[in-house]
Amino acid sequence: DAGVTQSPTHLIKTRGQQVTLRCSPKSGHDTVSWYQQALGQGPQFIFQYYEEEERQRGNFPDRFSGHQFPNYSSELNVNALLLGDSALYLCASSFRGLQGVTYEQYFGPGTRLTVT
Amino acid sequence: SQQGEEDPQALSIQEGENATMNCSYKTSINNLQWYRQNSGRGLVHLILIRSNEREKHSGRLRVTLDTSKKSSSLLITASRAADTASYFCATDELSGGSNYKLTFGKGTLLTVNP
């Protein structure tokens, strides 16, 4: 049973560029959440996708956008990159289903983004 | 913003000793979870404790929750070098029905010396 996978593992971009990160959820999961983790900090919630819609959003600017596909995989897009966007980006999946939410989130290995 | 705050920020112990980490949070919660992270990679879910529970065990892990004090503790017994990692507490924030997100603290860096 494959867990949460993310690609790429590492990425180096220049200020002002755009980046797309990808996530495949754990088999059977239908909800994907994205988190940003700066060095030495805990993960910060960016947004969550369920049924191909953004359901909740953290305190991140509109430069951060996302998408969920019919197969539940997800993308995180960041436009006009800033040096401060350098971080580990974590994807987490969970199963929500029709009866509500389940609370355990399973995390992928993350994508390390460096903006120069 | 950070909801939980772990204490201590760093902890160094010898193999075989017990390690205790604490977490405090600010708002009412439905659940509190503990995660482990090795070397800045993905987080591994350790244990979830619901707001109506006071204590929970899983193998060498023991978690307590005191909702009146808005605090939780994670105890790792008989620690091993492989337990060296950062440990985070995360609280849920239920809003808009069944939407759900996790709010993490800054973590405790545990070093277990062989």
Side-chain angles (χ1 to χ4, degrees):
Chain A
D1 179 23
V4 181
T5 60
Q6 292 185 244
S7 63
T9 304
H10 295 88
L11 203 52
I12 300 175
K13 289 286 189 178
T14 304
R15 272 181 301 177
Q17 286 188 318
Q18 179 264 343
V19 68
T20 297
L21 310 182
R22 296 177 176 82
C23 170
S24 291
K26 181 178 170 65
S27 177
H29 285 184
D30 57 8
T31 302
V32 173
S33 302
W34 287 93
Y35 294 81
Q36 179 196 64
Q37 186 179 22
L39 200 61
Q41 302 293 315
Q44 297 275 321
F45 176 79
I46 303 175
F47 42 53
Q48 182 184 88
Y49 277 84
Y50 171 69
E51 290 186 329
E52 302 179 48
E53 290 187 17
E54 183 183 297
R55 298 291 175 163
Q56 198 164 1
R57 188 178 184 92
N59 189 25
F60 279 81
D62 291 344
R63 299 186 298 107
F64 290 76
S65 63
H67 189 76
Q68 186 180 34
F69 299 93
N71 67 352
Y72 308 117
S73 66
S74 176
E75 288 182 351
L76 163 66
N77 301 292
V78 187
N79 295 322
L81 285 166
L82 304 174
L83 294 179
D85 295 332
S86 295
L88 180 68
Y89 288 85
L90 296 162
C91 168
S93 75
S94 56
F95 176 71
R96 174 174 162 168
L98 297 176
Q99 294 185 1
V101 67
T102 189
Y103 302 105
E104 287 92 356
Q105 292 193 9
Y106 292 81
F107 283 79
T111 293
R112 174 74 62 187
L113 173 64
T114 302
V115 182
T116 62
Chain B
S1 63
Q2 306 282 164
Q3 156 80 308
E5 288 195 13
E6 289 88 348
D7 169 55
Q9 290 186 345
L11 180 62
S12 181
I13 61 174
Q14 295 299 123
E15 214 167 21
E17 294 180 339
N18 295 341
T20 300
M21 289 160 271
N22 303 297
C23 168
S24 59
Y25 56 92
K26 299 175 183 175
T27 63
S28 296
I29 62 171
N30 290 312
N31 306 282
L32 186 144
Q33 303 180 54
W34 285 90
Y35 285 84
R36 184 185 75 223
Q37 185 177 41
N38 293 86
S39 302
R41 300 304 290 171
L43 279 76
V44 174
H45 184 267
L46 295 176
I47 198 164
L48 177 151
I49 186 166
R50 304 194 186 281
S51 59
N52 61 354
E53 297 176 313
R54 291 297 167 258
E55 187 171 313
K56 203 162 185 180
H57 297 255
S58 176
R60 294 184 296 113
L61 306 180
R62 173 180 166 247
V63 169
T64 61
L65 179 64
D66 187 335
T67 54
S68 66
K69 296 181 179 179
K70 290 186 169 58
S71 68
S72 173
S73 68
L74 170 67
L75 169 67
I76 304 174
T77 60
S79 63
R80 305 165 182 169
D83 294 329
T84 295
S86 291
Y87 291 81
F88 294 90
C89 69
T91 53
D92 70 326
E93 292 186 20
L94 193 65
S95 64
S98 53
N99 293 330
Y100 162 73
K101 68 177 184 179
L102 289 175
T103 304
F104 286 82
K106 294 185 178 182
T108 292
L109 176 59
L110 172 66
T111 302
V112 181
N113 302 299

